[in-house]
Structures are given as C-alpha cells and as structure tokens.
Amino acid sequence: MISEIEENQDLIVRTVRDFATRHIEPFVREWDEKQYFPLEVMQQLGQLGLLGVLVPEAYGGAGLGYREYVGVIAEISRVDGSIGLSVAAHNSLCTNHILLFGNEDQKQRFLPQLASGEFIGAWGLTEPNTGSDAGNMRTTATRDGTHWILNGSKNFITHGKSGHVAVVIARTADPNTSHNATAFIVERGTPGFSAGKKEDKLGMRASETAEMIFQDCRIPDANRLGEVGDGFIQSLKVLDGGRISIAALSLGIAQGAFGHALRYAQERQQFGQAIARFQAIGFKLADLATEIEAARLLTYQAADLKDAGKAVTREAAMAKLFASEVAVKAANEAVQIFGGYGFTKDFPVEKYYRDAKLCTIGEGTSEIQRLVISRQLLK
Amino acid sequence: MKILVCVTSVPDTTTKISFTDNNTKLNRAGVQYITGPYDDYALSRAVELKEQHGGTVTVLNVGEADTEPVIRKCLAIGADDAIRVNADPTDAFFVAEQIAAIARENAYDLILMGRESIDYNGGQVHGIVGEMLGLPSISPVMKLDIEGSKARITREIEGGKDELEATLPLVLGCQEPIAEWKIPNMRGIMSARTKPLKVVEPAGNDTLTKVAGYELPPPRGAVRMIPAEEAETLISLLRTEAKVL
C-alpha cells in the first residue's frame, strides 16, 4: 500500500506529464529554433497551480512543499528544460523572495497574480560585471524621501523582458561594506525601468533571458522587501531554495536525455542486434541510470530537509552541483549513443546537450557550489 | 442534475503487452494504469455539465484497491465523490450488473461512460446497463447538451452523424470531441484527498464469459524503402504482395 504522500506526488507528476506531453512536447523544436518564449503556456501552467507551487492557498497558491515542487520541475524539464527553467525561476526566485521576505501588504498585492500566472516574475541579482561576485554589484538605490531611485542594469535575467514584476537587488551602501544591498519589487511600466537586449543563447532558448535597465527609476518605499541592507542575505536564502530548483531542472533534463537514449539503444540495430546489447552501450546506460538515481536522491533529500524547515545550504549545493554535472554527462552520452543522428536536429538529444550546460552555470556555477560546500565543511 | 460517470482503469497506451498463466491473464508487472481515455471524455463533459447546470458528479469504478489512484485523479478533475465496487472486472456483464445495482439505489439523470474501455475494447457495458435499467442507451456520443429534461445528442454512425433528442435519464457511451480532456489543477489534487470514496462489495457474481487464452497480433514487418524512381516496383508490390490494389 503506497502512502498518501506518495499517491499525491504520483498524481501531481502524472498531471504535469499529461500537460507537458500535450501542450509542450509538440512545440519543443519550434520554440527552440525561433527562441520563442510561450507566455500562453506559462499562463496555462498558472491555471494548473504550477506557478505558485510553494505559495500558501491563502495567497492563491497550491500550498505544496519542495518535494512536490521538485517533481513538478523535473517532469516539465524532462520534456523541455527551457520551460522547466522558466517555471523554476518564476516560482523559486521572484515569487519565493516575496513569499519569504515580503510584508503582508506586498504578499497580498503580488502573490495571487504570480501564483495564477497573470503576472510572470523576474529576479535580478546578476550584473554584467558581477556574476559570482554579487557583493560588488553596481546597481544602486538611493533614498529620496518616501522613494528609492534605482540606477544600473541587471543581466541574464529570466523573464527580464516579459516579466510583469521583478525583484531587484540593488546596492544601498558602499561597496565592500557588509549589509550593502537591499531588495525591491519593481513593476513593469514603472518609469525608468526598461528591458534591454534579449540574449541569443546556446540552449534553454524557449526561456527568455534579457537585460533589465534602470535609469532614475523611482520605487516607492512600500516596495522595499525587508530591512535596508538585508538584500544580499535574503538573496542567499532565496538561492538555497533556488539550488533545489536547478537540481530538479537538471534531474529532469538528465532523465529526459536518458529516456531517449535508452529507447534508441533498444531500437537501433547494428551487427544484427540492438546496440543496447553491446557492453559498450549497456555499461553507459548502467552508469547513467546509477548516477541519475543518485542525483534524484540528493535532490529529494534537499527538498525533504527544506520541507522539514532544516538548514539546506550544504545539501542544496550538493544536489545542484551533482545533478547539474549528471545532466551534462547524460546529455553528452545520449548524443554519443544516438551517434550521427544525435548530432542532427531531427532527433531530440542535441537539445538536451545544449540545455544541460546552463545547469552547471545558472544560480551559482559548479565552482561556487564547491565553494559553498567546502565552507560548510570547514565551518 | 445527478451524473454518474463510470470509469475504467486501463494500462497506459504505451504499455508493452505480455501475458501470464498460460496466456490467460495480462502480465501486470510494471504496468502503469490510467483512466480509460474515452471515460476521460465522459468525465470531462460531466464536469462541464455540472458547471453549467449545477448538480453532482459521482465516479464509479469496478476494480480492486489498486485502481484508487485513477479514481483520485477523477476526483481531482472535479467529481464530487466516488464509489469503488471491490471486485476484479471480469467481463462486460459483470461490470454492467454492478453499475446497474448502484444506479438502482440512486436516481441518476445521466449515466456516462466511455464508448469502450481500451484494454479489452468490448464496448458492451453501456448497452447492457441500459437494458438492465430499462433506459435508452446511446453510443458513441460525440456531442451532448442538456436542456431541462431533454438531451440533445450527436452520435457517430458509419459514414455520418446522427442527431438525436432523448429524455433523461439516459445511459451514454462517449467519445471525442464531446469535451476536451481536463487536466487536474494542484488545488483539485489536494482537495481530492478529502472527497468521499466509498468502497462497496459486488452485487452479484455472474461472470458469463471465461478467457481461454490471449494471443498477440503478429509483429509488424520491417519497412521496405522503394526509391521514388521505381514507382512501378511499388505498384507491382502493392498488387502482388500487399494485395491492396
């Protein structure tokens, strides 16, 4: 007899699979080629409750935990990593930042629209000159009576152009001082806030990545998230959850690529038998299956710890580091197993190969994850 | 309006089929079960009719405990409650007998189901249920609208469509495009946990048929590629080998 939690998880996963099979899979290649961000699919996902997975029902969300959230992201990403990335960024960065650090008024104002998909969320920390070194950001917010004036730019922002609302971290004190950043909610249409260049990317092409530009952009103090100076600390906490997201994204990509490779290896005949029967391919499949299972366990472990309210910095970083490296390896081996066909766009694995690479870079590179883990070990 | 939707729990359409017990039983190992796709259409239309006219939707399944995930999904899609008749659905007569027994205890305005299950594809249950209850049964229904106590129905017939009008209560076997399949939302999934699912014992044990054995269709032959410039060879093969010309 399976437990209620497992039955629920299974139903959620099957629901997401049904949706992805019907509404995402047929368009994967077209969206990838055209670099088309399907806003309409995001809104449908919102109607299903998948854009406010962690948001309590009182604010219009699904009120689920990280365990279910991981299942959702992985299942979407199994079909299309780009959509998985967009759903992950919307849920765990923008929406989660407001959920974790917003006051009651801010939660009431923004969470219901974010959870329903009426608003798509963006989250801005990275800048052209500060990726991993976020503490040295150049975007500033200067107080002006009851307002703040933002100047600067953020880049590589998921939904930087189409997002209706963005959480932006800006420097509110001198560089190289502690507590020098503060988070603000910026709505699209605010004078002085515009979108810059949309990036033309190697992979994750159906997920919009763009620059956000602030020129004397006046933000009411009512849109400040938490205390002045807490922006960077808040961001690190948001990223702890975000890493579970990217681990789930990686897991889905790995499972998707592996699924295609496994099927193909059983169908493709060479020298009178399926190539899966050759030890060279069989062992590849065995290694991948084992590593994907390990990535899955690490990811769900981090999710369960997070759901239990425990510290997850180390475990989330481990899950993200390992799962993303497994995704890259699985996609690489899938292309190898497909051989020449794998190198063409007529077969699905080359896209996983391109998409997977983002996972070792976004929301903290593999190198930063190792730094986080080692610091936790040496504490 | 009280609607009963009868659903089957069937192997996923991508299942690789094999048999056990001397080819008399499906090998259930590793099989993923889903709601019968035609039953999904029936349920989706039932939920839409409830939204339009009010009332309740009850889901009924004849099956053992392992069909409950399928039933929960129906509740997540929008059914109000569910009944599971705790028995292996051995044949169409037995299943129809169970449905009729439940229907006799409750005055349903509509008894909907898929036009057939996609495991054994008998397509007989709606007809037998109608006969047992003395109600009209119509299948396969592609369109269904209700006005007061009247149902306007479009049924597929060979080479065309049949427009019908009938008075409720009715038994209908449904198919596409009666409604668009619904995908449950997260709230529906969460609320499905607390919706009532009643388990009842079977009303009778009249299995009229027995499976002597199953046989898989012969495997599909390999594809033969014929170059475009050899159209004559293709025509000759279609004549002599495939015998379709």
PDB file of all heavy atoms in Angstrom, chain A residues 15 22-23 41 48 61 64 67 112 116 131 182 206 211 241 258 281 287 295 298 307 313 321 323 331 339 359 371:
ATOM      1  N   THR A  15       0.040  14.387 -13.674  1.00  0.00           N
ATOM      2  CA  THR A  15      -0.685  15.549 -14.196  1.00  0.00           C
ATOM      3  C   THR A  15       0.251  16.429 -15.008  1.00  0.00           C
ATOM      4  O   THR A  15      -0.077  16.867 -16.116  1.00  0.00           O
ATOM      5  CB  THR A  15      -1.266  16.360 -13.011  1.00  0.00           C
ATOM      6  OG1 THR A  15      -2.203  15.534 -12.350  1.00  0.00           O
ATOM      7  CG2 THR A  15      -1.929  17.630 -13.472  1.00  0.00           C
ATOM      8  N   ARG A  22       1.015  17.051 -23.877  1.00  0.00           N
ATOM      9  CA  ARG A  22       0.026  17.625 -24.791  1.00  0.00           C
ATOM     10  C   ARG A  22       0.363  19.046 -25.213  1.00  0.00           C
ATOM     11  O   ARG A  22       0.164  19.410 -26.359  1.00  0.00           O
ATOM     12  CB  ARG A  22      -1.348  17.647 -24.114  1.00  0.00           C
ATOM     13  CG  ARG A  22      -2.090  16.356 -24.314  1.00  0.00           C
ATOM     14  CD  ARG A  22      -3.484  16.486 -23.742  1.00  0.00           C
ATOM     15  NE  ARG A  22      -3.646  15.550 -22.645  1.00  0.00           N
ATOM     16  CZ  ARG A  22      -4.635  15.608 -21.778  1.00  0.00           C
ATOM     17  NH1 ARG A  22      -5.520  16.574 -21.839  1.00  0.00           N
ATOM     18  NH2 ARG A  22      -4.733  14.718 -20.830  1.00  0.00           N
ATOM     19  N   HIS A  23       0.855  19.843 -24.279  1.00  0.00           N
ATOM     20  CA  HIS A  23       0.959  21.280 -24.562  1.00  0.00           C
ATOM     21  C   HIS A  23       2.387  21.790 -24.735  1.00  0.00           C
ATOM     22  O   HIS A  23       2.574  22.947 -25.078  1.00  0.00           O
ATOM     23  CB  HIS A  23       0.252  22.072 -23.454  1.00  0.00           C
ATOM     24  CG  HIS A  23      -1.204  21.740 -23.324  1.00  0.00           C
ATOM     25  ND1 HIS A  23      -2.138  22.141 -24.245  1.00  0.00           N
ATOM     26  CD2 HIS A  23      -1.867  20.990 -22.408  1.00  0.00           C
ATOM     27  CE1 HIS A  23      -3.330  21.678 -23.884  1.00  0.00           C
ATOM     28  NE2 HIS A  23      -3.184  20.971 -22.781  1.00  0.00           N
ATOM     29  N   VAL A  41       1.655  29.400 -22.582  1.00  0.00           N
ATOM     30  CA  VAL A  41       1.838  28.135 -21.860  1.00  0.00           C
ATOM     31  C   VAL A  41       2.102  28.415 -20.379  1.00  0.00           C
ATOM     32  O   VAL A  41       1.616  27.703 -19.496  1.00  0.00           O
ATOM     33  CB  VAL A  41       2.982  27.311 -22.491  1.00  0.00           C
ATOM     34  CG1 VAL A  41       3.371  26.129 -21.622  1.00  0.00           C
ATOM     35  CG2 VAL A  41       2.546  26.820 -23.863  1.00  0.00           C
ATOM     36  N   LEU A  48      -3.080  25.754 -13.749  1.00  0.00           N
ATOM     37  CA  LEU A  48      -2.969  24.434 -13.096  1.00  0.00           C
ATOM     38  C   LEU A  48      -2.403  24.556 -11.678  1.00  0.00           C
ATOM     39  O   LEU A  48      -2.362  23.575 -10.944  1.00  0.00           O
ATOM     40  CB  LEU A  48      -2.070  23.508 -13.905  1.00  0.00           C
ATOM     41  CG  LEU A  48      -2.592  23.022 -15.249  1.00  0.00           C
ATOM     42  CD1 LEU A  48      -1.618  22.048 -15.871  1.00  0.00           C
ATOM     43  CD2 LEU A  48      -3.954  22.364 -15.113  1.00  0.00           C
ATOM     44  N   GLY A  61      -2.024  30.248  -3.974  1.00  0.00           N
ATOM     45  CA  GLY A  61      -1.085  29.240  -4.456  1.00  0.00           C
ATOM     46  C   GLY A  61      -1.587  27.826  -4.247  1.00  0.00           C
ATOM     47  O   GLY A  61      -2.714  27.608  -3.792  1.00  0.00           O
ATOM     48  N   LEU A  64       1.895  23.660  -1.755  1.00  0.00           N
ATOM     49  CA  LEU A  64       2.627  22.390  -1.676  1.00  0.00           C
ATOM     50  C   LEU A  64       4.040  22.628  -1.144  1.00  0.00           C
ATOM     51  O   LEU A  64       4.466  23.762  -0.943  1.00  0.00           O
ATOM     52  CB  LEU A  64       2.693  21.745  -3.067  1.00  0.00           C
ATOM     53  CG  LEU A  64       1.332  21.417  -3.701  1.00  0.00           C
ATOM     54  CD1 LEU A  64       1.514  20.978  -5.142  1.00  0.00           C
ATOM     55  CD2 LEU A  64       0.617  20.337  -2.912  1.00  0.00           C
ATOM     56  N   ARG A  67       9.081  18.885  -1.963  1.00  0.00           N
ATOM     57  CA  ARG A  67       9.059  17.534  -2.550  1.00  0.00           C
ATOM     58  C   ARG A  67       8.191  17.525  -3.813  1.00  0.00           C
ATOM     59  O   ARG A  67       8.602  17.032  -4.860  1.00  0.00           O
ATOM     60  CB  ARG A  67       8.541  16.530  -1.504  1.00  0.00           C
ATOM     61  CG  ARG A  67       8.271  15.155  -2.046  1.00  0.00           C
ATOM     62  CD  ARG A  67       8.201  14.113  -0.959  1.00  0.00           C
ATOM     63  NE  ARG A  67       9.528  13.567  -0.699  1.00  0.00           N
ATOM     64  CZ  ARG A  67      10.044  12.517  -1.334  1.00  0.00           C
ATOM     65  NH1 ARG A  67       9.348  11.902  -2.257  1.00  0.00           N
ATOM     66  NH2 ARG A  67      11.245  12.077  -1.046  1.00  0.00           N
ATOM     67  N   PRO A 112      -0.988  36.561  -5.346  1.00  0.00           N
ATOM     68  CA  PRO A 112      -2.079  35.909  -6.093  1.00  0.00           C
ATOM     69  C   PRO A 112      -1.882  35.977  -7.614  1.00  0.00           C
ATOM     70  O   PRO A 112      -2.103  34.994  -8.316  1.00  0.00           O
ATOM     71  CB  PRO A 112      -3.327  36.688  -5.653  1.00  0.00           C
ATOM     72  CG  PRO A 112      -2.968  37.216  -4.304  1.00  0.00           C
ATOM     73  CD  PRO A 112      -1.499  37.558  -4.390  1.00  0.00           C
ATOM     74  N   SER A 116      -1.162  32.713 -10.056  1.00  0.00           N
ATOM     75  CA  SER A 116      -2.133  32.344 -11.090  1.00  0.00           C
ATOM     76  C   SER A 116      -1.548  32.424 -12.493  1.00  0.00           C
ATOM     77  O   SER A 116      -2.173  31.986 -13.452  1.00  0.00           O
ATOM     78  CB  SER A 116      -3.352  33.262 -11.017  1.00  0.00           C
ATOM     79  OG  SER A 116      -2.970  34.571 -11.422  1.00  0.00           O
ATOM     80  N   GLY A 131      28.960  38.420 -11.569  1.00  0.00           N
ATOM     81  CA  GLY A 131      28.186  37.192 -11.612  1.00  0.00           C
ATOM     82  C   GLY A 131      28.275  36.533 -10.251  1.00  0.00           C
ATOM     83  O   GLY A 131      27.464  36.780  -9.359  1.00  0.00           O
ATOM     84  N   THR A 182      19.903  45.917  -0.889  1.00  0.00           N
ATOM     85  CA  THR A 182      18.503  45.861  -0.468  1.00  0.00           C
ATOM     86  C   THR A 182      17.674  45.365  -1.657  1.00  0.00           C
ATOM     87  O   THR A 182      18.007  45.652  -2.803  1.00  0.00           O
ATOM     88  CB  THR A 182      18.018  47.263  -0.025  1.00  0.00           C
ATOM     89  OG1 THR A 182      18.915  47.742   0.983  1.00  0.00           O
ATOM     90  CG2 THR A 182      16.603  47.235   0.526  1.00  0.00           C
ATOM     91  N   ALA A 206      13.820  28.568 -25.312  1.00  0.00           N
ATOM     92  CA  ALA A 206      12.422  28.982 -25.168  1.00  0.00           C
ATOM     93  C   ALA A 206      12.199  29.716 -23.845  1.00  0.00           C
ATOM     94  O   ALA A 206      11.101  30.189 -23.572  1.00  0.00           O
ATOM     95  CB  ALA A 206      11.497  27.785 -25.268  1.00  0.00           C
ATOM     96  N   GLU A 211      18.181  41.586 -20.440  1.00  0.00           N
ATOM     97  CA  GLU A 211      18.764  42.585 -19.549  1.00  0.00           C
ATOM     98  C   GLU A 211      17.645  43.468 -18.990  1.00  0.00           C
ATOM     99  O   GLU A 211      16.657  43.714 -19.670  1.00  0.00           O
ATOM    100  CB  GLU A 211      19.725  43.419 -20.394  1.00  0.00           C
ATOM    101  CG  GLU A 211      20.605  44.362 -19.628  1.00  0.00           C
ATOM    102  CD  GLU A 211      21.457  45.216 -20.573  1.00  0.00           C
ATOM    103  OE1 GLU A 211      21.152  45.295 -21.779  1.00  0.00           O
ATOM    104  OE2 GLU A 211      22.410  45.818 -20.087  1.00  0.00           O
ATOM    105  N   GLY A 241      17.005  27.763  -1.844  1.00  0.00           N
ATOM    106  CA  GLY A 241      15.848  27.081  -2.431  1.00  0.00           C
ATOM    107  C   GLY A 241      16.009  26.969  -3.935  1.00  0.00           C
ATOM    108  O   GLY A 241      15.659  25.962  -4.535  1.00  0.00           O
ATOM    109  N   PHE A 258      18.253  10.585 -20.919  1.00  0.00           N
ATOM    110  CA  PHE A 258      18.462   9.154 -20.686  1.00  0.00           C
ATOM    111  C   PHE A 258      17.317   8.327 -21.281  1.00  0.00           C
ATOM    112  O   PHE A 258      17.551   7.284 -21.905  1.00  0.00           O
ATOM    113  CB  PHE A 258      18.587   8.885 -19.182  1.00  0.00           C
ATOM    114  CG  PHE A 258      18.723   7.425 -18.857  1.00  0.00           C
ATOM    115  CD1 PHE A 258      19.916   6.763 -19.096  1.00  0.00           C
ATOM    116  CD2 PHE A 258      17.655   6.714 -18.324  1.00  0.00           C
ATOM    117  CE1 PHE A 258      20.043   5.404 -18.808  1.00  0.00           C
ATOM    118  CE2 PHE A 258      17.777   5.361 -18.034  1.00  0.00           C
ATOM    119  CZ  PHE A 258      18.972   4.712 -18.275  1.00  0.00           C
ATOM    120  N   ILE A 281      27.606   0.036 -24.821  1.00  0.00           N
ATOM    121  CA  ILE A 281      26.419   0.883 -24.649  1.00  0.00           C
ATOM    122  C   ILE A 281      25.694   0.510 -23.356  1.00  0.00           C
ATOM    123  O   ILE A 281      25.249   1.379 -22.604  1.00  0.00           O
ATOM    124  CB  ILE A 281      25.472   0.735 -25.866  1.00  0.00           C
ATOM    125  CG1 ILE A 281      26.203   1.089 -27.165  1.00  0.00           C
ATOM    126  CG2 ILE A 281      24.230   1.601 -25.688  1.00  0.00           C
ATOM    127  CD1 ILE A 281      26.703   2.505 -27.273  1.00  0.00           C
ATOM    128  N   ASP A 287      25.727   3.129 -15.999  1.00  0.00           N
ATOM    129  CA  ASP A 287      26.351   4.226 -15.257  1.00  0.00           C
ATOM    130  C   ASP A 287      25.412   5.420 -15.157  1.00  0.00           C
ATOM    131  O   ASP A 287      25.261   6.023 -14.097  1.00  0.00           O
ATOM    132  CB  ASP A 287      27.652   4.674 -15.953  1.00  0.00           C
ATOM    133  CG  ASP A 287      28.784   3.676 -15.726  1.00  0.00           C
ATOM    134  OD1 ASP A 287      28.619   2.802 -14.845  1.00  0.00           O
ATOM    135  OD2 ASP A 287      29.807   3.763 -16.424  1.00  0.00           O
ATOM    136  N   ALA A 295      21.505  11.419  -8.197  1.00  0.00           N
ATOM    137  CA  ALA A 295      21.110  12.833  -8.300  1.00  0.00           C
ATOM    138  C   ALA A 295      19.680  13.013  -7.769  1.00  0.00           C
ATOM    139  O   ALA A 295      19.381  13.983  -7.068  1.00  0.00           O
ATOM    140  CB  ALA A 295      21.187  13.292  -9.752  1.00  0.00           C
ATOM    141  N   LEU A 298      19.749  12.830  -3.919  1.00  0.00           N
ATOM    142  CA  LEU A 298      20.299  14.063  -3.335  1.00  0.00           C
ATOM    143  C   LEU A 298      19.287  15.204  -3.429  1.00  0.00           C
ATOM    144  O   LEU A 298      19.130  15.983  -2.487  1.00  0.00           O
ATOM    145  CB  LEU A 298      21.568  14.479  -4.093  1.00  0.00           C
ATOM    146  CG  LEU A 298      22.903  13.891  -3.637  1.00  0.00           C
ATOM    147  CD1 LEU A 298      24.010  14.357  -4.577  1.00  0.00           C
ATOM    148  CD2 LEU A 298      23.232  14.300  -2.203  1.00  0.00           C
ATOM    149  N   ASP A 307      11.563  21.059   3.428  1.00  0.00           N
ATOM    150  CA  ASP A 307      10.177  20.934   3.899  1.00  0.00           C
ATOM    151  C   ASP A 307      10.114  20.778   5.417  1.00  0.00           C
ATOM    152  O   ASP A 307       9.146  21.188   6.056  1.00  0.00           O
ATOM    153  CB  ASP A 307       9.483  19.727   3.236  1.00  0.00           C
ATOM    154  CG  ASP A 307       9.078  20.026   1.803  1.00  0.00           C
ATOM    155  OD1 ASP A 307       8.906  21.217   1.473  1.00  0.00           O
ATOM    156  OD2 ASP A 307       8.956  19.078   1.010  1.00  0.00           O
ATOM    157  N   THR A 313      21.697  24.636   3.135  1.00  0.00           N
ATOM    158  CA  THR A 313      22.737  25.259   2.315  1.00  0.00           C
ATOM    159  C   THR A 313      23.667  24.207   1.713  1.00  0.00           C
ATOM    160  O   THR A 313      23.906  24.189   0.505  1.00  0.00           O
ATOM    161  CB  THR A 313      23.534  26.276   3.156  1.00  0.00           C
ATOM    162  OG1 THR A 313      22.598  27.209   3.699  1.00  0.00           O
ATOM    163  CG2 THR A 313      24.561  27.022   2.328  1.00  0.00           C
ATOM    164  N   LEU A 321      25.073  20.826  -7.523  1.00  0.00           N
ATOM    165  CA  LEU A 321      26.374  20.509  -8.142  1.00  0.00           C
ATOM    166  C   LEU A 321      26.310  19.148  -8.843  1.00  0.00           C
ATOM    167  O   LEU A 321      26.627  19.019 -10.026  1.00  0.00           O
ATOM    168  CB  LEU A 321      27.469  20.492  -7.059  1.00  0.00           C
ATOM    169  CG  LEU A 321      28.831  19.938  -7.496  1.00  0.00           C
ATOM    170  CD1 LEU A 321      29.458  20.817  -8.559  1.00  0.00           C
ATOM    171  CD2 LEU A 321      29.777  19.834  -6.287  1.00  0.00           C
ATOM    172  N   ALA A 323      23.672  17.045  -9.534  1.00  0.00           N
ATOM    173  CA  ALA A 323      22.625  16.820 -10.552  1.00  0.00           C
ATOM    174  C   ALA A 323      22.960  17.546 -11.851  1.00  0.00           C
ATOM    175  O   ALA A 323      22.721  17.024 -12.941  1.00  0.00           O
ATOM    176  CB  ALA A 323      21.262  17.262 -10.019  1.00  0.00           C
ATOM    177  N   ALA A 331      23.328  14.066 -21.078  1.00  0.00           N
ATOM    178  CA  ALA A 331      23.021  14.610 -22.407  1.00  0.00           C
ATOM    179  C   ALA A 331      24.155  14.293 -23.377  1.00  0.00           C
ATOM    180  O   ALA A 331      23.922  13.930 -24.531  1.00  0.00           O
ATOM    181  CB  ALA A 331      22.789  16.117 -22.303  1.00  0.00           C
ATOM    182  N   GLY A 339      24.722   8.615 -31.844  1.00  0.00           N
ATOM    183  CA  GLY A 339      25.704   8.705 -32.919  1.00  0.00           C
ATOM    184  C   GLY A 339      25.398   9.874 -33.849  1.00  0.00           C
ATOM    185  O   GLY A 339      25.004  10.942 -33.389  1.00  0.00           O
ATOM    186  N   CYS A 359      22.768  24.361 -16.580  1.00  0.00           N
ATOM    187  CA  CYS A 359      22.586  23.902 -15.193  1.00  0.00           C
ATOM    188  C   CYS A 359      23.861  23.996 -14.360  1.00  0.00           C
ATOM    189  O   CYS A 359      23.800  24.135 -13.139  1.00  0.00           O
ATOM    190  CB  CYS A 359      22.041  22.478 -15.174  1.00  0.00           C
ATOM    191  SG  CYS A 359      20.455  22.349 -15.986  1.00  0.00           S
ATOM    192  N   LEU A 371      32.522  25.886  -3.562  1.00  0.00           N
ATOM    193  CA  LEU A 371      32.935  26.847  -2.545  1.00  0.00           C
ATOM    194  C   LEU A 371      31.970  26.821  -1.359  1.00  0.00           C
ATOM    195  O   LEU A 371      32.381  26.772  -0.192  1.00  0.00           O
ATOM    196  CB  LEU A 371      32.954  28.247  -3.192  1.00  0.00           C
ATOM    197  CG  LEU A 371      33.605  29.355  -2.392  1.00  0.00           C
ATOM    198  CD1 LEU A 371      35.114  29.141  -2.352  1.00  0.00           C
ATOM    199  CD2 LEU A 371      33.295  30.705  -3.051  1.00  0.00           C
TER     200      LEU A 371
END
